[in-house]
Each structure stands twice: as C-alpha cells, then as structure tokens.
C-alpha cells in the first residue's frame, strides 16, 4: 500500500449536532439519534430531504433506514457501517468522504447514539453456557474463562507492560485525566462541567483493574452525535464555514486482535495507529509540527500516551515527559481534548471528539486556543482504528 | 506428585470405574401424580398457570387435561423427610463407602439435568431405575481434591412406559484440600466460569487442558508455533497442523489485578497474567499461589491446573519452585 491516497482536502464537515450528554436520557436510542441528525442537518443549513447517504457503526442499534424514515429523508443512495466499536469513529468520516467523491451521494450523515449508561452494562450477563462456535465468540475463549472480561481489563494488560518498559507511572496516566477534567470544567455541555480533579484525586481513586484507577476509566454516557459531510465545493454554499477533511484514514495492524493484540513482539505501541498516522502525513504532506490541537481517544488514559508517540508528537516512550511538561493543557504545545474528552464530556464512541475538532477549526470551542489551523482527531485504540486531520479551507 | 501416587490413583480409579454402568437400585413413588401435590408445588413456586390446577381450563388447552409441571419429575419418586431406610449393600452405597474410606468424605451436589418424554397426568404412577453413569478422574476443584460421580435416573410408569430421565452429579471431596484454607459456602455456590466458545480451531487446547496437557498449535510443514491457534500457518500457508506439549514453564510478560466489576464466577482481587512460555508463545491465564499484589513482570512461573468443573479445566501459573 502506498500509505498515501488521493482524497487530500476532498471532504468537508458542514454540520454538527448532538443531544445533551447524560446518564439517563429518558428516551429511546432511536430518538436520540434522530434528534442529533436533525440538529446536524439544521446546523449545515440543509433539509433532511437533501441527505442521501448515511454511515454509522456496526455497534449502533439504530438502522439507517429507520433514522431516514423518521427524518423524512426520502431515498438513500449510500449506506455503510464500520466495525470495531470506537475504532470506527473517524472511519465514518472517511466513508462519507469516499462516497461524496465517488458521486454516490451528495450529503452524508455520520451518526452514533446510545443509552450506554442507562441501558445494558459491560461485565454483566456472563453465563455458564457455551457461546456460539463463531470466530468472533471463540476469540473470547482466550480471555473470558480466566476472568479477563472488560475493556478496562484488556487495556490494563498493555498499560502494565508500558509502565514496565518506559518507566512511566500511574501519575502519568493521571495527568491525562486531570487535563481532560480541567477542560470539561469549563465546557457547559460536559457531564463533568465545573468538576475538575487533581492528581491526588486520581491517585486516591479506587482500583478498577491494576494499574488502572477509577479516574483512568471513561464514564458511560447516554447521548447521540451526528455530523454532515459533503464535498468542499458544495460546502461553500452552506450555513457554516466549511471544515476541511485534510485526510482521513483507517488502519488494522499486523497480527491485530480485537482489544487483545498481546502476541506481537512488542505490545507497548499501537501499530494500527502508526499506519493511520503515516497515511495522514503522507497524504497531506503535513507533520505533527503543523497540528495545533488534538482530540486523542481516551476511553482509558494509558493509551493516550502511545498515540502521541505514533503521531510523532514525541519519541517512543517519551510521552510521559511530553505530558509532564504541561504540553497537553490549554496554553501548552498541543492542547488535547478541549471539550473534556470522553472522560470529561461524554463517551459517544469518539464521535463527539470529531464534533469538537470541527469546533476547534471553526474557532467556536469553549476552550478555544488561538491560531488553530489543523486539528487531529483519533478513534478507538487496541482495535482496528481510524483518524482524521481537519483544517481550515 | 510421585509416580507411586499416580499409580495408586490409577488403581483406585479403576476400582471406582468398575461401578460405571451398574444398576444402583429401583424405587416406586409413594403416590401417583395427584392434584394435591401439584397444587402445593405451584403455590410454593408462584406459578399461576391454570393448566396445572383447573380441569376446565386444562380441557381447553393443547393438553386436554390437567398436567403436572414438567420440572416436578423428581418429586414423584422422592422419599419424604424420613429419608431412605438403611439398606446397605447396593452398588451406590458401596461406591460411596469406598470414596468415604479413601478420605473423600464430603459431598456437594453440583448440577443436574432433566429430560422429559411426555407430560405427566393425574394418576400416572412412576418408578425409577438408577444407573451409575460415570466417575471422573481425581480433580483439583476449588472445594478440594475429589471425584465427580454422575448417576442417571430413568423415570417410567409402573406399566413400563419411559417418561423422562435425570443426570445428577455430585462431587465427593476431601475436606480441607480446597484452594482457600477454609472452603466456604461461597465457593460451592459460585456460578461456573464463562465457557469458551469451541471451534475446530481451538478445541484441541481445551481438550488437552482436561488431560492437564498445555498444548501449542504447531504448523506441520514449517514447525512454527502459534497461539491463539488458527486454521492456516501465516508463515508458510499450510493448513496442516499438530500440537506440541509445552513444558509449562514461562515468565509473566504482563499482568493485571482485577477489582471491579466482580463477576460471581471469580474470586477477587483476581490476578490475570500474560504468560510468555519458554517455547516463545504467549497466553492469558490466571496467576495463582501468590498474593496478587506480589505479581511482577518477569516473574518465573510454571503451569498448574484448575479443574473448575466437570466440563472445564484451565491452565493457571504459579511462581516456579
Ligand atoms: Zn508453517
């Protein structure tokens, strides 16, 4: 593969919309998604009947056709879904850019919504009966019988090795949480608005799975987020200043597993994210030096560190030093997760991060740094993943 | 474990297994299927289905008449609270006696399965025929060292028509030999661990575990070891493979200690290791025989077997002696 593609500056995010982010929405997941899509379409200055493409996650339980029917969209000429949980987030934008450039759709809505907090919970429903003999369920045969059952536990295995190899500490993970919560504290939409934490709070929070404290782990949220994508040409006539998709990429690494790539020679990097990074840089000709802010996927703090390394913001194993120097907070070299991230704002599988990236380029974030020209947004880690590089027109 | 121990165990198991397939007695129910017992049972269970108690409603149902709840099967031939008169000399009593004498004096019922051939109606009079179905090899369970004994009870009418059967499994174990110093009621009530989904690609590993053999898939053409296993060698492309038995020695490459959420099948804090075997492959397994707070990357470990239940044996790793 060339690790470079022809879709440089080929798409634009022209609308964003979300529900409130809560712990108990009190309404159906379908309604959340419909509300978010309507808000995004309105933000773009479009009407639902102009939307002809939809893309979401395979993990989403709200079928495109039902969303379209509820919104009165009429006919759809493009619909697509992406697998691997939060790894799909920026992949939805790539799908939309592919579609509008191939001419199979003019305006594509990407969405994700759920009642994750008030609906089902992780770690429940474990049964004594054998599951189906599919490759997807057989994957869990190597983990579930041993009690390795939750995303936090799968991630902790990498985190422990990362600490061992690079001399990082739990406090370095904590600094990600502190920055996220600091930024959430000034974002009225964030669940943890006006609730900053200290590093001491982080260290004193109980163990969930060593080496992860409670405050290393993302919250569970109810809510939905939608975005509208079209070509930069069509974007010129719409309501908002277009936010250009400089490049979008997906990546699955060699010897990739779903959350448990424990069998590679090294398990302290994220080769799938490295592949995504090379595609973004090679496609745009830009480097990490050209990026002024980033939304780094933060379902669990430890994996923010190797992401900074894979994108070249610091050398391998040196993210701890980059973070200790205050680079990731407002006023620093690379403010991250200015919305509060998923730890602070809401966990909408990374989609709310793309919306914040869009606001950063529009210069409308509640924590807006000055002189933002390019923003990196990443998707879920330890799974096949994706990222987008957004920028001004 | 010394060779002598193993030989003695094998000889003892041969004696125990001589009972497999033998008839272990017959019993006749004290009363035929009757409305009074059904009524007591459904009231205790809170089951309000009229088909069990209302002849008119039952007549309108697909059954055409009052039926007994299927899961009452065992009740129709159960002895009352006075229990079984001392008989002695039945093969089942002999088998239990042998286990008692060898120190396996504690007993816990582990599970039962029932199968029904037809619904039971008022007036059906049942009898049972019990067969000793199987005796397991010696297992190291959470409760202690023991043997699972499974009996099969065949239910039929006194006219000889089969109506159902039940597999009933108990564990006869040596008290005080469990993993925790004082085997608790909690351990006995703990649900089974999550089952592995078995496919043609991974079943050999779990079959090997039942025989306490730690197996690694090996390409039959180029010899490359791989775990987790798969149908094709990524290096040479061969679909042919066999399995190599690992030495069981390795080191902790990484690990976690689980605190929350607490799933009832496990004891917490729960140490789970990513073990690098000396053959070079890695696998996930519990780290045992050490305080979870003492586990460290690089710890030298060796395999130990957890006979969790009759259907699941898992490798675990303990600090190397
Ligand atoms: Zn081979």
């Amino acid at each position: 593969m060339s690790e470079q593609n022809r879709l440089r500056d080929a798409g634009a995010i022209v609308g964003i919309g979300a529900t409130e982010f809560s712990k108990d929405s009190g309404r159906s997941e379908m309604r959340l998604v419909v509300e978010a899509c309507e808000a995004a379409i309105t933000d773009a200055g479009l009407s639902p009947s102009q939307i002809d493409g939809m893309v979401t996650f395979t993990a989403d339980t709200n079928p495109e056709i039902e969303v379209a029917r509820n919104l009165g969209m009429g006919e759809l000429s493009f619909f697509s879904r992406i697998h691997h949980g939060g790894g799909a987030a920026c992949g939805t934008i790539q799908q939309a850019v592919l579609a509008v450039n191939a001419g199979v759709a003019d305006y594509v809505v990407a969405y994700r919504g759920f009642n994750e907090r008030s609906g089902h919970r992780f770690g429940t429903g474990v049964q004594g009966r054998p599951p189906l003999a599919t490759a997807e369920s057989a994957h869990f045969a190597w983990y579930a019988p041993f009690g390795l059952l939750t995303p936090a536990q799968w991630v902790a295995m990498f985190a422990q090795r990362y600490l061992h190899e690079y001399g990082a500490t739990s406090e370095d993970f904590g600094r990600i949480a502190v920055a996220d919560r600091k930024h959430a504290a000034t974002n009225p939409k964030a669940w943890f608005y006006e609730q900053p934490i200290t590093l001491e709070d982080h260290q004193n929070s109980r163990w969930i799975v060593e080496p992860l404290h409670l405050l290393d782990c993302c919250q569970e949220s109810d809510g939905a987020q939608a975005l509208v994508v079209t070509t930069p040409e069509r974007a010129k006539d719409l309501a908002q200043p277009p936010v250009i998709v400089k490049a979008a990429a997906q990546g699955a690494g060699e010897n990739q597993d779903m959350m448990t790539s424990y069998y590679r020679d090294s398990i302290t990097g994220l080769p799938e994210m490295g592949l995504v990074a090379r595609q973004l840089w090679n496609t745009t000709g830009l480097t990490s030096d050209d990026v002024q802010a980033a939304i780094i996927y933060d379902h669990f703090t430890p994996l923010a560190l190797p992401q900074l390394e894979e994108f070249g913001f610091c050398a391998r194993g040196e993210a701890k030093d980059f973070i200790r120097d205050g680079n990731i907070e407002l006023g620093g070299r690379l403010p991250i997760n200015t919305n509060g991230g998923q730890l602070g704002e809401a966990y909408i599988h990374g989609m709310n991060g793309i919306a914040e990236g869009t606001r950063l380029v529009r210069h409308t974030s509640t924590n807006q740094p000055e002189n933002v020209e390019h923003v990196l947004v990443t998707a879920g880690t330890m799974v096949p993943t994706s990222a987008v590089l957004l920028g001004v027109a | 474990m010394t060779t002598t121990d193993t030989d003695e165990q094998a000889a003892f198991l041969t004696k125990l297994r001589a009972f497999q397939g033998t008839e272990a007695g017959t019993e006749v129910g004290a009363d035929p299927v009757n409305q009074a017992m059904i009524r007591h049972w459904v009231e205790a269970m809170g089951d309000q289905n009229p088909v069990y108690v209302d002849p008119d409603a039952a007549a309108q149902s697909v059954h055409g008449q009052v039926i007994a709840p299927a899961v009452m099967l065992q009740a129709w031939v159960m002895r009352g609270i006075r229990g079984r008169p001392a008989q002695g000399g039945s093969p089942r009593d002999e088998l239990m006696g042998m286990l008692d004498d060898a120190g396996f004096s504690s007993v816990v019922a582990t599970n039962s399965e029932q199968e029904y051939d037809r619904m039971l109606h008022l007036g059906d009079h049942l009898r049972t025929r019990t067969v000793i179905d199987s005796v397991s090899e010696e297992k190291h369970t959470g409760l202690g060292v023991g043997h699972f004994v499974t009996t099969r009870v065949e239910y039929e009418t006194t006219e000889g028509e089969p109506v159902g059967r039940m597999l009933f499994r108990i564990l006869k174990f040596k008290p005080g030999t469990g993993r925790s110093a004082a085997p608790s009621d909690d351990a006995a009530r703990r649900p089974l661990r999550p089952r592995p989904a078995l496919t043609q690609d991974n079943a050999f590993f779990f079959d090997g575990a039942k025989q306490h053999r730690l197996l690694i898939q090996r390409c039959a053409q180029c010899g490359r070891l791989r775990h987790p296993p798969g149908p094709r060698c990524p290096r040479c492309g061969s679909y042919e493979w066999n399995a190599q038995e690992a030495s069981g020695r390795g080191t902790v490459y990484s690990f976690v200690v689980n605190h929350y959420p607490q799933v009832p099948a496990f004891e917490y804090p729960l140490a789970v290791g990513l073990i690098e075997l000396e053959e070079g492959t890695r696998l996930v397994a519990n780290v045992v025989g050490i305080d979870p707070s003492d586990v460290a990357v690089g710890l030298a470990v060796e395999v130990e077997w957890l006979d969790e239940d009759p259907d699941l044996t898992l490798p675990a790793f303990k600090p190397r002696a």
Side-chain angles (χ1 to χ4, degrees), chain A residues 8 27 52 63 84 92 94 108 180 217 224 251 265 269 273 279 284 320 354 357 370:
Chain A
R8 177 182 181 179
R27 50 208 198 280
D52 50 4
H84 306 301
T92 64
Q94 188 196 41
V108 178
D180 275 5
C217 304
D265 288 346
M273 199 61 96
Q279 293 176 79
T284 60
K320 63 181 190 302
I354 307 173
E370 290 171 20

Side-chain angles (χ1 to χ4, degrees), chain B residues 46 86 93 156 163-164 198 202 230 299 310:
Chain B
D93 294 339
E156 57 188 30
V163 294
L198 299 179
N202 71 5
L299 179 73

Side-chain angles (χ1 to χ4, degrees), chain B residues 52-72:
Chain B
Y52 301 133
V53 288
D54 179 344
D56 293 337
Q60 302 297 314
S61 75
V62 292
H63 303 290
Q65 58 179 305
V66 165
I67 58 167
V71 290
M72 273 189 82

Side-chain angles (χ1 to χ4, degrees), chain B residues 240-294:
Chain B
E240 302 301 317
W241 58 269
N242 47 43
Q244 169 177 329
E245 185 164 355
S247 72
R249 286 186 296 274
T251 54
V252 173
Y253 186 79
S254 190
F255 70 97
V256 303
V257 181
N258 294 347
H259 294 266
Y260 298 95
Q262 301 206 339
V263 174
F266 301 94
E267 267 183 275
Y268 293 85
L270 176 71
V272 189
L274 176 59
I275 309 299
E276 186 157 280
L277 297 177
E278 58 181 19
E279 288 81 6
T281 56
R282 295 182 201 139
L283 80 161
V284 167
N286 293 115
V287 182
V288 298
I290 181 173
D291 191 300
S293 59
D294 293 333

